[in-house]
Amino acid sequence: AFTFIPSNRVIRWNRDDWGRDPFQPDPDMPGNYVMTSSMINGNGFQRGHIVASYDRVYSKEANEQTFYFSNISPMYEGFNLGAWNACERYVQEWGRSSGFCDTLYIVKGATIREGEYRKVGSCPTVPNYYFMALLCLKSNNYKSIGLLFKHENGYSKTQVCSIDYLERFTGIDFFCNIPDNVENAVESSYNPNKWSRLSNYKDLKK
C-alpha cells in the first residue's frame, strides 16, 4: 500500500540515472524467498512493478526500493506495458493533481489464493489476476473504486468495481483503518464517471 500526498508529488530523482541494472534482492527478505531476474525473464515474463518506479521519484532511496524483488511480479509483456501501465499512469495523474485529491490511498497486488495462480517453469507464482484499490480523500470527502485485471499476454481489459467486490474477490480487507460508518458507505459505492479515464471501462456490477 502507498499514498500520494503533497510531499511525494515533487519529482527530485531521475529514475533513468541508474548506472547498472537496478533490480536487486530485498535485504529484508529471507533467503528462501529470494527471486532472480533469470527466474522471470527466462520463462517469458517481464519484471513487473507493483509499486511503480515513477511513484517513488522524490528520492533516490525511495526509487531504489521499488526495484527490490519483493515489489516485483512476473507479468506478460503485453499486460505490463498495456493495461497495467495505462492505469499506473492514471493513478499518477490523480495522485499528483491537488485539484483531484488531498491524499490518494492505493493498494496494488495480485491474487494468491488457491486456483488463482499458476506455475510456469522455474518462475515463481504467476497470478491470474492483478488489482488496484483506490481511495481518494478531498476536502474531508471520500470516494473509492476498484480495478481488476485478468493477467493475459495482451492488452487485458480493465474492469471497474466496488471495493466490496474486490474484497470478496481477493479475500483482502482494504482501508480497514477508516471509521466503520465511512468505510461501509464508501466501499459499497463507486462511480467510474468521477474517475477521469475510467468511464468507458467494463463495470462489474456484482
Side-chain angles (χ1 to χ4, degrees):
F2 62 98
T3 60
F4 272 113
I5 56 177
S7 62
N8 65 20
R9 289 185 177 131
V10 180
I11 300 173
R12 302 189 182 93
W13 164 250
N14 184 349
R15 61 184 178 149
D16 296 321
D17 281 350
W18 294 100
R20 56 178 173 77
D21 185 350
F23 292 89
Q24 56 193 302
D26 185 335
D28 293 327
M29 289 289 289
N32 56 319
Y33 291 103
V34 170
M35 185 163 51
T36 65
S37 292
S38 62
M39 291 178 182
I40 298 176
N41 296 344
N43 287 281
F45 298 97
Q46 289 191 334
R47 300 170 294 185
H49 282 72
I50 300 300
V51 177
S53 167
Y54 203 63
D55 292 339
R56 289 290 180 266
V57 287
Y58 52 88
S59 76
K60 180 180 183 296
E61 180 183 11
N63 187 251
E64 182 178 47
Q65 290 173 354
T66 70
F67 288 90
Y68 286 167
F69 277 109
S70 54
N71 184 51
I72 302 302
S73 185
M75 294 183 182
Y76 287 116
E77 179 179 4
F79 174 82
N80 187 28
L81 301 181
W84 189 252
N85 178 66
C87 287
E88 283 183 328
R89 292 178 181 272
Y90 302 160
V91 168
Q92 289 154 7
E93 279 184 29
W94 299 325
R96 293 193 170 98
S97 170
S98 58
F100 183 83
C101 67
D102 297 326
T103 304
L104 181 61
Y105 301 93
I106 307 106
V107 183
K108 298 163 68 178
T111 52
I112 57 173
R113 294 193 294 189
E114 190 68 32
E116 294 178 351
Y117 64 88
R118 60 198 181 278
K119 296 285 186 178
V120 180
S122 61
C123 190
T125 301
V126 179
N128 290 344
Y129 294 88
Y130 287 87
F131 63 82
M132 299 183 187
L134 310 175
L135 178 67
C136 171
L137 175 61
K138 178 65 178 175
S139 301
N140 293 319
N141 293 311
Y142 287 97
K143 64 181 175 183
S144 70
I145 198 164
L147 305 178
L148 185 62
F149 310 78
K150 189 173 183 180
H151 184 210
E152 300 175 315
N153 193 13
Y155 200 102
S156 173
K157 292 183 179 179
T158 309
Q159 298 175 302
V160 295
C161 58
S162 68
I163 299 300
D164 278 347
Y165 179 92
L166 200 59
E167 288 181 336
R168 293 193 300 271
F169 191 90
T170 62
I172 300 171
D173 184 10
F174 303 107
F175 313 126
C176 57
N177 291 331
I178 61 177
D180 286 343
N181 61 321
V182 176
E183 180 185 7
N184 292 337
V186 77
E187 291 188 353
S188 62
S189 62
Y190 65 107
N191 184 348
N193 293 319
K194 292 185 177 181
W195 299 80
S196 59
R197 302 182 182 275
L198 296 184
S199 58
N200 294 325
Y201 281 38
K202 183 177 179 181
D203 200 348
L204 288 169
K205 293 186 179 300
K206 296 181 181 179

